[in-house]
């Protein structure tokens, strides 16, 4: 239900060797939140999402998903990822499979659906992102924007509770950014819970319910988009945003 707590991150830290890249991160996500994470390159945004998706193991701290710590070794990662899915900057489609097969494989392997049910569901989500006419295409025949829409449909076909996006439009030619953001905007309106790392500030301002600004591995400031973009309290946030808005 809207507002129910889904994820709660407590005192999360991550080191690579001697490099402390996340320092004591605390934040939480509730049902139907659209959280945008902004911040300069190297601030730890991807590492945070990768910890949430079990692609990295936190060094210390907890990531509670409905009250269970997912850093626990007993958690089944593919199963968990079907609940908390991820869309990557570089699409990560299987290039030897068609668009339709890309959207079926996870359902068959992880959710143990039969082919017919997986196909029906894949078609539904490909329709939703406007990619139904391309079901038999291979990824190499598609534009970047089309590939990313397929990647979103593939993630949606698992019917996740939360979808994580790591700079979903950063690898795209400028004319393709809009079509992907439009799909994401629609998902937000439908109430999908999302955590989105992005440099698209207008999108973050218009679509998010919550904005997190990170720098140097810490959360410097967070709040509703109106206050982060309209009247940021911290000097670091002000400087980041003014650099962004004025090039
Ligand atoms: N696998 C890794 N091994 C070592 N260092 C890493 C690894 N992944 C990220 N880092 C370092 O962690 C820091 C944060 O990176 P990242 O999370 O990718 O930031 P962002 O996504 O905000 O650009 C950077 O200094 C980066 O070099
Ligand atoms: Mg990154």
């Amino acid at each position: 239900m809207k507002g129910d707590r889904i994820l709660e991150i407590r005192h999360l830290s991550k080191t690579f060797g001697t490099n402390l890249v996340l320092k004591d991160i605390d934040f939480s996500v509730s049902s139907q939140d659209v959280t945008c994470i902004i911040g300069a390159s190297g601030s730890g945004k991807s590492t945070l999402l990768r910890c949430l998706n079990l692609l990295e193991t936190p060094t210390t701290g907890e990531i509670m998903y409905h009250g269970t710590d997912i850093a626990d070794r007993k958690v089944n990662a593919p199963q968990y990822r079907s609940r908390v899915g991820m869309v990557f900057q570089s699409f990560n489609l299987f290039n030897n499979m068609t668009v339709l097969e890309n959207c079926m494989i996870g359902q068959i392997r992880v959710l143990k659906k039969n082919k017919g049910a997986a196909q029906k569901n894949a078609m539904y989500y490909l329709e939703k992102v406007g990619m139904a006419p391309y079901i038999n295409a291979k990824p190499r025949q598609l534009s970047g924007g089309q590939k990313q829409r397929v990647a979103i449909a593939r993630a949606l076909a698992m019917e996740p509770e939360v979808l994580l996006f790591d700079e979903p439009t950063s690898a795209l030619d400028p004319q393709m950014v809009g079509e992907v953001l439009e799909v994401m905007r629609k998902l937000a309106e439908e109430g999908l819970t999302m955590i989105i790392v992005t440099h698209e500030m207008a999108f973050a301002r218009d679509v998010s319910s919550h904005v997190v600004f990170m720098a140097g591995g810490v959360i410097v400031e967070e709040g509703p988009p109106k206050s982060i973009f309209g009247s940021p309290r911290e000097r670091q946030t002000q400087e980041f945003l003014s650099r962004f808005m004025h090039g």
Side-chain angles (χ1 to χ4, degrees):
M1 227 172 67
K2 186 173 167 66
D4 286 356
R5 180 65 49 85
I6 299 175
L7 280 165
E8 184 159 355
I9 292 102
R10 297 187 200 137
H11 302 302
L12 175 70
S13 297
K14 177 69 183 172
T15 55
F16 290 111
T18 56
N19 192 5
L20 183 55
V21 303
L22 292 177
K23 301 167 199 166
D24 204 19
I25 299 283
D26 282 297
F27 89 102
S28 59
V29 171
S30 296
S31 182
Q32 302 191 17
D33 282 355
V34 177
T35 304
C36 281
I37 303 178
I38 61 172
S41 172
S43 56
K45 306 180 301 295
S46 292
T47 304
L48 175 56
L49 280 200
R50 291 171 63 80
C51 285
L52 292 178
N53 200 234
L54 285 180
L55 293 166
E56 300 287 356
T57 313
T59 306
T60 59
E62 294 168 341
I63 299 174
M64 308 300 286
Y65 174 66
H66 290 292
T68 300
D69 189 357
I70 57 138
D72 193 309
R73 279 170 206 283
K74 289 192 287 292
V75 171
N76 177 324
Q79 209 69 48
Y80 169 74
R81 288 189 195 116
S82 75
R83 307 308 305 138
V84 179
M86 181 128 149
V87 172
F88 300 87
Q89 181 176 336
S90 52
F91 328 122
N92 292 14
L93 296 173
F94 298 112
N95 288 316
N96 58 336
M97 291 183 196
T98 65
V99 163
L100 184 60
E101 287 163 349
N102 264 282
C103 295
M104 290 170 61
I105 186 83
Q107 298 184 72
I108 293 168
R109 294 244 175 104
V110 179
L111 303 182
K112 311 294 180 200
K113 287 201 188 174
N114 67 46
K115 255 182 126 172
Q119 176 162 343
K120 189 159 172 251
N121 204 41
M123 283 305 302
Y124 174 80
Y125 288 105
L126 283 165
E127 199 100 39
K128 197 177 187 79
V129 302
M131 287 302 291
Y134 299 88
I135 50 171
N136 295 316
K138 292 281 179 67
R140 68 180 144 73
Q141 297 168 295
L142 304 177
S143 71
Q146 290 173 327
K147 280 191 247 196
Q148 194 59 297
R149 285 187 285 143
V150 172
I152 292 171
R154 177 180 61 178
L156 290 171
M158 301 299 277
E159 299 186 322
E161 185 176 22
V162 183
L163 204 45
L164 314 175
F165 293 81
D166 192 2
E167 298 198 34
T169 61
S170 293
L172 303 179
D173 291 334
Q175 72 271 23
M176 289 163 192
V177 169
E179 67 191 59
V180 173
L181 293 181
E182 211 35 63
V183 166
M184 294 170 64
R185 188 186 295 266
K186 196 164 81 181
L187 296 174
E189 280 166 9
E190 291 173 3
L192 180 67
T193 309
M194 304 195 274
I195 307 177
I196 306 163
V197 171
T198 187
H199 294 296
E200 296 291 333
M201 296 302 158
F203 174 87
R205 190 192 56 217
D206 296 345
V207 177
S208 70
S209 53
H210 193 76
V211 180
V212 172
F213 169 63
M214 288 181 67
V218 303
I219 294 178
V220 172
E221 185 167 354
E222 62 180 309
K226 225 168 149 182
S227 36
I228 299 293
F229 292 108
S231 51
R233 276 177 284 114
E234 301 293 331
R235 197 171 53 94
Q236 260 183 301
T237 320
Q238 293 161 5
E239 285 174 359
F240 172 77
L241 289 173
S242 74
R243 261 200 314 279
F244 227 97
M245 302 309 177
H246 307 113

